[in-house]
Amino acid sequence: MNIRKIVKKLVPKSLFQKIEPAGHLAEAVLANVRYGFPGRKVRIIGVTGTNGKTTTSYYIYRMLHEAGVKVALSTTVAYGVGDDITVQQEHVTTAKAGILQKRLRDFSRAGAEWVVVETSSHSLAQHRVWGVPYEIAVMTNVTHDHLDYHKTFERYRDAKRRLFKIANKHGLRFGVVNADDSSAALFAGDIKNHTTYGIKGGDVHAKDITLTSAGSSYDATIGGTEYSIATQIPGEFNVSNSLAAVVVGNKLGLTKEQIENGIAALETVEGRMNRIVAGQKFQVIIDFASTPDGFEKFFESVRPLVKGKLVAVFGSAGRRDESKRAEQGVIAAKYADHLVITEEDDRDEDGANILDQIASGAETQGKERGVDIDLMSNREEAIGYAFTLVSSEDDTVVLLGK
């Protein structure tokens, strides 16, 4: 057992949360010294936000890779350089300081020029990314999440703003900010140079958007150059994610063709609107959506594409933000025809209570337990049961969460 775990067991939770950042800071300083401050040997792009971080990171990485740039990636689902990408076994958004600094050293030794780092609010609040000289910061959106840790939305939002304040000290000092987000002005004010983007507004905005089950297309103009963007990942939210990458590519001097081809080259990202084809008659989609905003955006994109029955299988993690559970139920019930509510890592919390909290939200939308709401603690059994509720190629089962 390491020292951190021993201290965590010995002191009250409230005290541990106050002293924890100091421990992470010390670890980050030591890791930088051990690995020779590797962040100084590469150029770093950080991507933060409640939803869309991983996909946006992948769009940037793939765009640079297709353009011939030696680029590395560190995200929730994978890390690596160039074509040598390794699946992340532990789905932690930003690795611990020691692991992150070792990766940066390895990326540098492998010849990486740029590194795209998906950066969480926890890693910023806990100083785990101390010594990482971000010079481009990207904000996808900031909505309700992780209030179990940050306690208030303002503290959660301000933790993410630290990425922009760090980037304001290094290199290009450039920020990419989602203009459609209510916190956009705060993030833009934290950095010397910035460009806003969005679907509804922004310095760069998507227009003539076409959404299909196979992807999206839209046009965008930057500095007199009009881009015709096509994505292979469906959903309006991925229009926004890809547009952030377009802004980054333009800032780094990529050509129109390099940007367009790079965005179009990304076929999929693990757990992001993944369609499963295994010979079944109906459609199956897997997505890691787990926040109220993530649910809303996911269902808004999927529901119009489903001609038949839509069945949603999901749960909510234990020992995490309890207030979002009923909201998840409300949103899912608003769009889906049938809900199968199940376990999603209960930890040491009463799983039945979690399912009940979600169901109570769904009931406010007219859904009834035993009619169009089923509570099943075993996730594997829940998925199997959901498959029995559909039979047509027009029907869809969505499997949500991590």
Side-chain angles (χ1 to χ4, degrees):
M1 182 177 289
N2 62 32
I3 294 176
R4 180 178 179 275
K5 289 183 177 179
I6 294 173
V7 174
K8 190 174 183 178
K9 279 196 169 187
L10 293 176
V11 304
K13 182 178 179 181
S14 58
L15 176 59
F16 180 78
Q17 286 190 342
K18 290 180 180 179
I19 64 176
E20 183 183 29
H24 282 294
L25 176 59
E27 182 182 359
V29 172
L30 291 172
N32 270 271
V33 172
R34 178 180 179 182
Y35 294 109
F37 290 87
R40 299 175 183 177
K41 300 169 186 176
V42 291
R43 305 182 73 181
I44 301 174
I45 300 167
V47 181
T48 197
T50 305
N51 300 298
K53 296 187 297 296
T54 303
T55 304
T56 301
S57 297
Y58 259 90
Y59 272 125
I60 296 169
Y61 151 76
R62 190 57 186 264
M63 177 183 62
L64 291 174
H65 178 63
E66 292 293 320
V69 177
K70 195 67 179 281
V71 58
L73 177 75
S74 182
T75 72
T76 304
V77 299
Y79 64 93
V81 183
D83 288 321
D84 186 16
I85 301 297
T86 301
V87 174
Q88 176 99 321
Q89 295 302 316
E90 295 183 7
H91 281 192
V92 177
T93 300
T94 310
K96 293 179 181 178
I99 296 173
L100 179 59
Q101 293 301 324
K102 181 180 183 300
R103 284 182 186 170
L104 291 177
R105 183 203 64 183
D106 294 344
F107 295 159
S108 173
R109 287 180 174 179
E113 177 185 357
W114 284 95
V115 181
V116 184
V117 179
E118 183 181 353
T119 308
S120 68
S121 60
H122 286 76
S123 70
L124 290 159
Q126 296 169 355
H127 309 295
R128 298 203 318 255
V129 293
W130 184 90
V132 179
Y134 300 97
E135 57 179 288
I136 295 179
V138 181
M139 181 271 266
T140 59
N141 50 67
V142 184
T143 60
H144 185 124
D145 199 18
H146 298 307
L147 300 193
D148 56 299
Y149 179 81
H150 297 286
K151 307 305 180 187
T152 69
F153 172 79
E154 289 72 24
R155 289 177 63 180
Y156 169 59
R157 176 201 63 205
D158 291 347
K160 291 188 174 295
R161 289 175 62 191
R162 292 185 183 184
L163 176 66
F164 281 67
K165 293 175 181 179
I166 295 170
N168 197 38
K169 301 175 182 178
H170 305 283
L172 295 173
R173 299 169 66 184
F174 184 64
V176 181
V177 181
N178 185 351
D180 297 336
D181 191 273
S182 60
S183 299
L186 291 173
F187 282 80
D190 288 331
I191 197 160
K192 180 179 180 181
N193 309 299
H194 69 268
T195 294
T196 60
Y197 70 95
I199 293 174
K200 299 175 182 177
D203 301 323
V204 181
H205 67 273
K207 56 187 179 181
D208 298 328
I209 300 171
T210 300
L211 304 174
T212 73
S213 60
S216 308
S217 64
Y218 62 91
D219 295 329
T221 304
I222 307 179
T225 300
E226 182 159 312
Y227 298 87
S228 296
I229 303 299
T231 74
Q232 296 194 60
I233 306 177
E236 187 177 67
F237 50 92
N238 281 314
V239 170
S240 182
N241 294 336
S242 61
L243 187 56
V246 171
V247 174
V248 172
N250 175 266
K251 180 64 178 179
L252 296 183
L254 299 189
T255 67
K256 166 182 162 69
E257 291 73 21
Q258 287 174 326
I259 292 172
E260 292 175 345
N261 294 340
I263 298 298
L266 183 63
E267 297 179 3
T268 187
V269 176
E270 181 189 352
R272 274 68 181 176
M273 293 290 280
N274 298 154
R275 290 185 176 273
I276 305 302
V277 180
Q280 78 277 7
K281 293 182 179 179
F282 49 89
Q283 308 298 313
V284 178
I285 300 174
I286 296 177
D287 195 275
F288 284 174
S290 60
T291 67
D293 181 65
F295 265 43
E296 189 72 46
K297 289 177 177 175
F298 174 82
F299 282 111
E300 275 185 348
S301 294
V302 169
R303 179 73 259 191
L305 304 176
V306 179
K307 297 178 182 179
K309 190 175 185 180
L310 177 59
V311 178
V313 181
F314 67 97
S316 195
R319 298 302 173 195
R320 293 296 183 266
D321 186 1
E322 291 187 29
S323 63
K324 73 177 184 179
R325 294 171 184 169
E327 289 186 62
Q328 288 175 291
V330 168
I331 296 166
K334 184 169 63 173
Y335 291 99
D337 300 299
H338 198 116
L339 308 184
V340 182
I341 303 172
T342 187
E343 182 270 342
E344 186 189 319
D345 192 1
D346 294 337
R347 296 181 172 84
D348 59 348
E349 191 174 347
D350 181 3
N353 181 57
I354 296 174
L355 302 191
D356 183 68
Q357 288 176 311
I358 298 171
S360 66
E363 287 171 327
T364 67
Q365 301 301 302
K367 292 286 193 287
E368 296 182 38
R369 302 188 196 203
V371 178
D372 42 22
I373 301 175
D374 288 292
L375 309 185
M376 303 183 70
S377 59
N378 185 296
R379 191 174 183 91
E380 184 175 347
E381 291 179 4
I383 293 171
Y385 172 69
F387 290 164
T388 70
L389 300 175
V390 293
S391 58
S392 164
E393 62 181 13
D394 292 333
D395 298 337
T396 298
V397 175
V398 296
L399 311 176
L400 303 178
K402 301 177 182 178

